[in-house]
Amino acid sequence: MKGMFEDTIIAVSTPFGSGGLGIVRLSGRKSLSIAKKIFKPKKNKAKIRPLRPILGNLYHLGRKEFFEEAYLIYFPQPRTYTREDMVEISCHGSPVILEEAVRLGIKAGARHANPGEFTLRAYLKGRIDMLQATAINDIIQASSYKQAKISFDQLEGSLSRKISSIRSQIIHLLSQIEASIEFPDEGLRISIKQIAKTIKDAVLSVKKLIESFNLGKTLAEGLTLVIAGRTNVGKSTLFNSLLEKERAIVTPYPGTTRDYLRESIKIGDSLFTLIDTAGMGRPIHPVEKEGIKRGKNLASQADGILLLFDASQKETPEDLRLIKKFKDKKTIFLFNKIDLPQKMKKVKVQNEKKSWSALEISALKGTNIDDLKEMIHDLFVPNQKQEEEVVLHLRQKLILEDISNCLTEAQRLLEGGYPEEVYSEEIRKSIPLIGQLTGEIRTDDIIEDIFSRFCVGK
Amino acid sequence: MNSTEEYDVLVIGAGHAGCEAACATSTMGLKTCLVTIHLETVAQMSCNPAIGGLAKGHLVREIDALGGLMGLLADETGIQFRLLNRSRGGAVQAPRAQSDKALYRLTMKNWLEKVPNLTLFQGIVTEILIKNNKTFGVMTLEGNRLLSNTVILTPGTFLKGVIHMGLHSYSAGRANEPASVELAENLKKIGLKTFRLKTGTPMRLHKDTIDWRQFKPQPGDEKPIPFSFRTQRKLENKIVCYIGYTNQKTHEVIRNNLNKSPLYSGKITGIGIRYCPSIEDKVVKFPHHQRHQFFLEPEGLETAEIYVNGVSSSLPLEVQKEILRSIPGLDQAKMFRPAYGIEYDAVLPTQLYHTLETRHIKNLYLAGQINGTSGYEEAAAQGLMAGINAALKIKGGKPFLLNRHEAYIAVLIDDLITKGVEEPYRLFTSRAEYRLLLRIDNADKRLTPQGFKLGLIKEKDYEAYQKKQEKIKKAMHFLQQEKMINEKREKISLKDFLKKPEVQFKTVLEYKKFNERLSDEEIRHVESEVKYEGYIKKQGKEIARIRKIDGEKIPESTDFREIPGFTGEVIEKLAKARPKNIGEAKKIPGMTPAAVVNLHIYLKCQRGKNHKK
Ligand SMILES: Cc1cc2nc3c(=O)[nH]c(=O)nc-3n(C[C@H](O)[C@H](O)[C@H](O)COP(=O)(O)OP(=O)(O)OC[C@H]3O[C@@H](n4cnc5c(N)ncnc54)[C@H](O)[C@@H]3O)c2cc1C
Ligand SMILES: Nc1nc2c(ncn2[C@@H]2O[C@H](COP(=O)(O)OP(=O)(O)O)[C@@H](O)[C@H]2O)c(=O)[nH]1
Ligand SMILES: [Mg+2]
């Protein structure tokens, strides 16, 4: 197989328009040397070190002026997805910039990857088996550094550990049932209760893993936070203040934010998409009306709300209505304009929804903005230990859901009084599914388990 | 002296494999000679006096459905019958019977003597005669040359057999019969790779020296169920087995004497059966168990010998006696024959085709224990298949191969050949992917038409089979058409009613009358068909899908070296076998499911590429 893939390939690895950040990936022997031709670290003497994101600029070959700021991470072989040297360049997610970065890479000696070629390489290098290769075709669309790291760790890391623990749970389960079927004379009374409990435990672990998919998604795509509130409470000001640049148009007159604005921000290691909506007060202008409608939609789909109040004014019915509206969302009360004399009965407002966190800020003066960031991080980034981090791909999630369905069906049949060989059939169905996630389960694995756990046979 | 004689087929070894093989070839019209060391031990049960059990009972039914002997013989010589797993569904029910060992042997010999075209001949084979990679007969120790272009080899545990009792050991094949040392050497010489396996057997005790009050009786079924679809007469239980337990004292004796065990002292190097652990194994592997179960099984009606199922051992005689003394009820027991362990050569079954013909010597077939299996039923099933395929080859017919979803026989043979064997192989129902399809109640439906076509099922038996199928069809129609009102006041078919786990066919008949009487056998079949219907349909679809994939062609131009993830070994195997499609690739020894998937996807990728061009 040597020599099959001498060349270094490059491609955009985030879907177009998927968010604020884009990633261009290189794989092959010359990944780093090609990358070095188009990327220069900001700090002149900074060295590119494995697995360390480094800030720099992308340059056209031979030109002095850079055209885009970017991060670069170098992943030395063999512990990479393709088992080759890999480089990831993260820059602005605009398709134009991404395509340009790829074009530069090609000029510097890379070849444009064929669709799925990264996965193919991973497979060809024995990095993953074919089942996984096809399953993970929708692979790793990293858009935050944390995600990038997790992606690269996950095949060997926590995911496979978790799946293999589910695998052994299922083997144990089956060996219990099968032993009682195969050796009816050995007096291996199986307790239906015991089996039911084991199935339940297995379902639970599968479900837990499925849930972690959402975390994976979060890390991959970033959570969406919507800044909501009446017109003129300071939403756009807060938006800018969080982004630390003048992006939204701020005016002292209501209704300036006509549409919504979207930006990516990084808080800690995590990526958020921040959305500034038009005010939620009474619409005045038809154009604004449209913006508000969109804003409302966005708010209902958001992962979290920053609900802003103008604390220099008395609370209005509209303020209270908004609290109700977002009662099922993860929300933070933000009492803005604390630099001004305070008129709002904040305690009363807060009592409307006691479970939400609250913070007093001045968006204009930047007061407590760091505290806000911290609060956002604490509230929205699931606090998982490093080794617990697991990212699932959609495919893996679907397989796990199938497994969960098999087990749940087994549970139902068991409770419905069906005999062992029937509900065991459902559990057996999960065997090839597990095989698609991790090493296949051979009947010998089950038989081995039977004979190591039960003293049967003549 | 060099007498020579010509046969169409030579079968070497009249064990469970050899008898089926010889009967099949001769019934299929070929002049057959069955050569064996002693004609007194034809179809000897080397170990326990029982046939059947889970998966094994399934095999016997399949052998029977194809026209083999084992089922009929087990019914004929059975002295206690039980259907196992009665409380479960039809797919995991299987018959088991205690047989009268002597009667089993004599009846088999008697039957074989009457088979046309078949000659029984006593002799010790020492050499397989080969010319141009093709066999043409065998040589015997007595100096006789037997000529035939087809040889089926079924020598059981005799190849270089070594019996162990404590640290003492000696050359023997089974219970002091002579080991086949020359033949074992010869097999190596002709290029077959062999390996060592081990097994063991418990002691036999004198019936009158056991205090039976100490044990719990285990009687046979009230209404015994025959193995054979062709057995008409009513079966009768003639004996009772008993259940007992070892105790802490027994275990202490064993632990104190492990240094005298050939296994634990490292003297035996062969790989033993996990599935039939010796009492030493049990005590060592499960130290927390307070006791181990055993069964006391009579070896026959005309003998006082009692087989102690569960206490096989290769400890020395003195220790065996001490073990007995530790068990109330056996403390006074006199031993007829001590337990012993045996080591023997087996041939790596990956050197065979699915027809059981060896890959490098034409017309040489291997069946039974020699292929690394263990058990009478496993041996008989292989013997039958080897016989059928040898006969078909001679007659110029297509091989008779079964798929894994069609029969346990296929699961067995396919496992042996594609996965190989590291320890004595025993069949389990969980080895089958489609367990709910492979039942004792439909073995005839699955296989009897084929048995008939092969000429192994007699005309009148086939007619009976067809009649049964007609009746079942009618019953299924009845269940489908007739409706009833259930407790929820819904109108449902009787079939849907029968699907409930607690409902039986006879419950259904309380609601509507069916104008034909079904036998218990037929009822079991109908119940299974109905209760498993959902699975049967789904699995049918799955099988169709797999068949489609199996049919996918592998272009001749395929360079297997290009296929990712393949080891040099797999590449070599593929290059040598040159499979024409995925199904053929699957059958190559050592092809793991993962490798097959790799191949399949690689081909798909290639097709995709060619498309683009
Ligand atoms: C001590 C012992 C313990 C066993 N324990 C178990 C157990 O616990 N569980 C289990 O499932 N199975 C057990 N078995 C195995 C079981 O007996 C075999 O699986 C089964 O009998 C195999 O059938 P077969 O036809 O392959 O060989 P066998 O039944 O062994 O028959 C082989 C025949 O070949 C003949 N033969 C051998 N060499 C020659 C030759 N050179 N020339 C002519 N004839 C020859 C022999 O005389 C014999 O008749 C045990 C066997 C033994 C000996
Ligand atoms: N004093 C003070 N003024 C603020 C603060 N935040 C926003 N404003 C002012 O309030 C007005 C409306 O702000 P804007 O961000 O456009 O509100 P929006 O309609 O909610 O987007 C502007 O004049 C801001 O300068 C604050 O914290 N303190
Ligand atoms: Mg605004």
Side-chain angles (χ1 to χ4, degrees), chain A residues 198-266:
Chain A
T198 318
I199 298 183
K200 212 170 125 200
D201 290 348
V203 172
L204 267 174
S205 357
V206 174
K207 288 212 164 132
K208 218 163 128 198
L209 197 50
I210 292 172
E211 269 158 32
S212 71
F213 172 75
N214 299 327
L215 168 64
K217 185 167 155 266
T218 300
L219 294 168
E221 293 166 5
L223 282 169
T224 305
L225 298 180
V226 162
I227 306 176
R230 282 189 300 117
T231 306
N232 238 25
V233 292
K235 296 187 295 296
S236 302
T237 313
L238 177 63
F239 184 73
N240 292 335
S241 153
L242 282 168
L243 290 173
E244 292 161 47
K245 38 180 163 163
E246 295 281 312
R247 181 77 190 235
I249 316 144
V250 185
T251 71
Y253 312 105
T256 318
T257 318
R258 292 259 152 112
D259 205 322
Y260 69 92
L261 289 170
R262 160 201 288 272
E263 269 293 332
S264 295
I265 58 164
K266 236 178 86 194

Side-chain angles (χ1 to χ4, degrees), chain B residues 371-383:
Chain B
N371 290 339
T373 59
S374 135
Y376 314 141
E377 303 80 357
E378 284 86 347
Q382 292 172 66

Side-chain angles (χ1 to χ4, degrees), chain A residues 1 4 114-115 120 123-126 129-131 134 174 177-178 180-188 190 409 413 416-426 428-429 440 442-444 446-458, chain B residues 47-48 54 82 84-85 88-92 96 200 202 218 274-277 282 285-286 289 292-293 295 307 309-310 419 426 428-436 499 501 532 535 538-539 561-565 593-594 597-598 601-602 605:
Chain A
M1 214 114 69
M4 252 183 97
N114 294 322
L120 184 67
Y123 160 60
L124 293 176
K125 296 277 156 80
D129 64 34
M130 197 43 148
L131 286 168
T134 47
L174 271 174
I177 302 166
E178 296 297 329
S180 84
I181 290 176
E182 308 272 7
F183 298 96
D185 277 347
E186 302 271 359
L188 303 168
I190 57 164
E409 177 64 6
L413 292 170
Y418 288 86
E420 278 80 32
E421 82 279 5
V422 172
Y423 62 79
S424 130
E425 200 66 25
E426 291 296 334
R428 277 155 57 103
K429 263 200 232 159
E440 57 184 292
R442 302 161 308 142
T443 23
D444 282 327
I446 294 160
I447 289 166
E448 196 175 308
D449 198 57
I450 292 180
F451 288 97
S452 64
R453 298 201 309 143
F454 305 105
C455 183
V456 287
K458 177 180 61 79
Chain B
C47 200
N48 61 336
L54 264 283
R82 290 192 307 132
L84 304 184
N85 274 335
R88 300 192 162 102
V92 293
R96 183 178 193 278
Q218 190 193 37
R274 243 181 326 182
Y275 319 137
C276 303
K282 293 183 193 178
K285 273 174 65 186
F286 299 92
H289 283 207
H292 293 284
Q293 196 180 36
F295 299 84
Y307 176 93
N309 184 346
K419 297 182 188 159
R426 177 206 197 278
F428 291 103
T429 66
S430 45
R431 293 200 195 267
E433 290 78 4
Y434 305 103
R435 178 160 67 189
L436 302 186
K499 277 193 180 147
Y532 296 140
Y535 289 95
K538 261 189 262 170
Q539 299 194 335
R561 284 170 307 182
E562 284 284 311
I563 300 177
V597 172
N598 272 4
I601 294 177
Y602 173 81
C605 291

Side-chain angles (χ1 to χ4, degrees), chain B residues 281-510:
Chain B
D281 286 338
K282 293 183 193 178
V283 170
V284 170
K285 273 174 65 186
F286 299 92
H288 52 288
H289 283 207
Q290 301 298 305
R291 58 181 203 177
H292 293 284
Q293 196 180 36
F294 62 81
F295 299 84
L296 297 171
E297 304 173 349
E299 293 239 323
L301 297 179
E302 306 293 329
T303 172
E305 286 195 68
I306 298 293
Y307 176 93
V308 192
N309 184 346
V311 192
S312 93
S313 171
S314 38
L315 288 164
L317 181 61
E318 267 324 301
V319 182
Q320 293 186 31
K321 282 185 178 161
E322 218 180 311
I323 289 174
L324 292 180
R325 279 198 293 273
S326 74
I327 301 168
L330 298 184
D331 45 340
Q332 303 293 320
K334 287 237 167 67
M335 211 186 284
F336 277 122
R337 313 179 200 219
Y340 66 87
I342 183 165
E343 261 190 302
Y344 55 93
D345 274 4
V347 172
L348 282 177
T350 49
Q351 301 168 92
L352 305 173
Y353 293 110
H354 277 65
T355 55
L356 300 179
E357 186 183 3
T358 57
R359 284 175 187 257
H360 39 291
I361 297 152
K362 279 201 193 104
N363 301 344
L364 175 64
Y365 294 76
L366 308 183
Q369 194 105 359
I370 187 175
N371 290 339
T373 59
S374 135
Y376 314 141
E377 303 80 357
E378 284 86 347
Q382 292 172 66
L384 178 63
M385 292 303 275
I388 291 173
N389 278 301
L392 287 172
K393 190 173 177 196
I394 295 168
K395 293 166 148 196
K398 268 219 254 163
F400 176 62
L401 301 173
L402 292 165
N403 285 305
R404 295 180 72 98
H405 64 266
E406 289 174 310
Y408 276 106
I409 297 179
V411 174
L412 163 72
I413 292 177
D414 190 58
D415 277 352
L416 290 180
I417 290 168
T418 60
K419 297 182 188 159
V421 167
E422 271 163 20
E423 62 182 316
Y425 177 100
R426 177 206 197 278
L427 194 61
F428 291 103
T429 66
S430 45
R431 293 200 195 267
E433 290 78 4
Y434 305 103
R435 178 160 67 189
L436 302 186
L437 303 186
L438 305 182
R439 307 188 307 269
I440 58 163
D441 68 72
N442 70 355
D444 52 348
K445 204 166 163 183
R446 290 183 275 128
L447 300 169
T448 292
Q450 317 207 51
F452 179 63
K453 236 190 268 159
L454 289 165
L456 294 172
I457 291 281
K458 291 199 190 96
E459 189 84 43
K460 78 165 188 3
D461 293 325
Y462 190 59
E463 270 164 26
Y465 159 81
Q466 283 175 313
K467 253 196 216 135
K468 175 181 167 190
Q469 297 310 313
E470 277 305 310
K471 221 161 124 196
I472 283 164
K473 228 191 221 159
K474 266 189 220 156
M476 294 300 285
H477 187 77
F478 158 78
L479 290 168
Q480 177 92 54
Q481 294 305 313
E482 296 293 332
K483 303 281 189 286
M484 61 173 285
I485 306 292
N486 70 3
E487 71 274 23
K488 284 192 210 141
R489 311 224 140 262
E490 298 157 330
K491 195 172 168 189
I492 57 166
S493 68
L494 294 182
K495 194 164 114 187
D496 285 338
F497 181 54
L498 182 53
K499 277 193 180 147
K500 298 187 162 192
E502 68 279 5
V503 178
Q504 295 178 316
F505 186 70
K506 66 169 191 262
T507 339
V508 172
L509 293 186
E510 288 165 15

